[in-house]
Amino acid sequence: MSLNRASHSAQAVATNPEGPLLAPGDKITLIAPSYPVTPGQVNKAVELVKGLGFVPFVPDDLLGDDLLCANSDAKRLEYVKAAFADRQSKALWALRGGYGATRLMPELLAMPKPEHFQWLAGFSDITALHMLVNQRWGWPSVHMPVMAQWADDRLDEETVAGIGRLWRIGGYASPMPVAVNAAARHVAKVEQGARIIGGNLCLVLASLGTAWQVDAADSWLLLEEVDERGYRIDRMLTQLSQAGVFAKAKGVLLGDMNGGDEPDGGNKIEAVLQRFALDAAFPVFRLNGVGHRRTNLPIILGLPSA
């Protein structure tokens, strides 16, 4: 089966965690652990959180000068640690991905597990923080759009509606995993409430050899990517395979991998993913609508193993 045809045949299904994730009036802390954001994006994000019925919190000096990121390493670390330690806050929602979270990981790993659980929300570079809370602290989290996407009107109506349902109701639309190899068709489906870890392919790869290295044992490994050419996708998947990451996983969920055109205008990503799936002895499913597109539906990560 073509991975492309499989992805377009996926239908949204209802997934229901135990009730709403948040209650009206709950405090959501907006964090900026990665790339810079503009004051305008922050202001818009604040208004969007208010529109959902929650109370946003942003430190006055969240943004500052840095070579690559939204603020210095020291300031970003200070604010992320303070956000996790805030007993009044119920969720941390990243303003932007990009790059920078990995620079904070050694200090965050040394931080004692907070006694007060919070939802972490975001994707892309925020994958590093997801692995912190999922693997080190045993907390679930939400792979979902960063606030800058919403503030810049880069999300479709289905995704925006899904964000509201997720926080306020608990039921939300997520893409149905579609089997794309023989091992996946034998499994038939990914069970509702399954343990899923991972996120951005580059960030999962960046974890190898670190204290926060991805551990896919008894889990489905989610992988999505943007603007990487086919050979780079192939190289990353090959390295994960040679590092034994897939060995104990239940299988792989391939999210969107868009962009990455070749210099001649062609694109080899579809063929790379096709070969990866057909060569794999483990189940490989496709998830359309999870990644760097206007449709970026929420996925709960890090649920306890069944």
Side-chain angles (χ1 to χ4, degrees), residues 71-134:
N71 211 327
S72 67
D73 287 354
K75 282 293 186 182
R76 287 182 294 113
L77 177 65
E78 175 187 341
Y79 293 143
V80 171
K81 290 177 69 173
F84 274 126
D86 184 353
R87 290 181 173 273
Q88 302 305 312
S89 182
K90 303 299 183 182
L92 280 62
W93 199 342
L95 284 157
R96 191 176 176 186
Y99 171 71
T102 57
R103 296 179 61 87
L104 310 181
M105 290 302 290
E107 290 78 8
L108 290 175
L109 288 167
M111 175 183 176
K113 176 182 177 180
E115 297 180 1
H116 166 65
F117 167 76
Q118 294 191 63
W119 289 101
L120 170 70
F123 84 120
S124 193
D125 193 56
I126 310 307
T127 296
L129 301 184
H130 283 302
M131 286 198 276
L132 166 72
V133 303
N134 296 162

Side-chain angles (χ1 to χ4, degrees), residues 154-284:
R154 290 185 284 122
L155 299 175
D156 62 15
E157 292 182 3
E158 181 183 14
T159 301
V160 171
I163 291 171
R165 287 195 301 270
L166 172 74
W167 289 130
R168 297 180 299 195
I169 299 174
Y172 64 100
S174 63
M176 180 179 293
V178 177
V180 291
N181 68 355
R185 287 189 285 275
H186 178 73
V187 172
K189 67 177 181 178
V190 178
E191 63 274 19
Q192 187 169 349
R195 177 176 171 82
I196 301 171
I197 63 164
N200 182 259
L201 176 57
C202 280
L203 269 293
V204 171
L205 190 74
S207 76
L208 297 183
T210 71
W212 52 281
Q213 178 167 318
V214 62
D215 180 2
D218 298 319
S219 305
W220 292 93
L221 181 60
L222 171 66
L223 300 172
E224 61 81 26
E225 194 48 84
V226 64
D227 293 337
E228 296 286 354
R229 288 169 59 188
Y231 82 91
R232 294 173 181 168
I233 297 291
D234 189 83
R235 181 170 60 196
M236 288 187 277
L237 292 172
T238 298
Q239 185 174 350
L240 290 178
S241 178
Q242 293 177 356
V245 171
F246 303 130
K248 296 182 180 180
K250 288 187 175 181
V252 171
L253 305 177
L254 295 174
D256 293 332
M257 298 199 183
N258 48 300
D261 288 348
E262 298 295 316
D264 64 3
N267 194 295
K268 296 184 178 180
I269 294 175
E270 170 70 15
V272 164
L273 298 180
Q274 179 82 32
R275 183 172 70 175
F276 169 75
L278 294 179
D279 288 348
F282 46 83
V284 178

Side-chain angles (χ1 to χ4, degrees), residues 1-64:
M1 178 185 294
S2 165
L3 285 173
N4 190 52
R5 288 198 299 271
S7 66
H8 285 287
S9 68
Q11 301 294 318
V13 295
T15 303
N16 295 289
E18 294 182 2
L21 302 191
L22 300 177
D26 276 352
K27 178 180 178 180
I28 293 181
T29 302
L30 300 181
I31 60 172
S34 304
Y35 263 4
V37 292
T38 67
Q41 288 172 317
V42 176
N43 292 337
K44 183 67 178 296
V46 166
E47 294 306 312
L48 290 169
V49 171
K50 288 180 180 178
L52 291 173
F54 306 119
V55 177
F57 173 73
V58 181
D60 292 336
D61 54 348
L62 179 71
L63 308 182

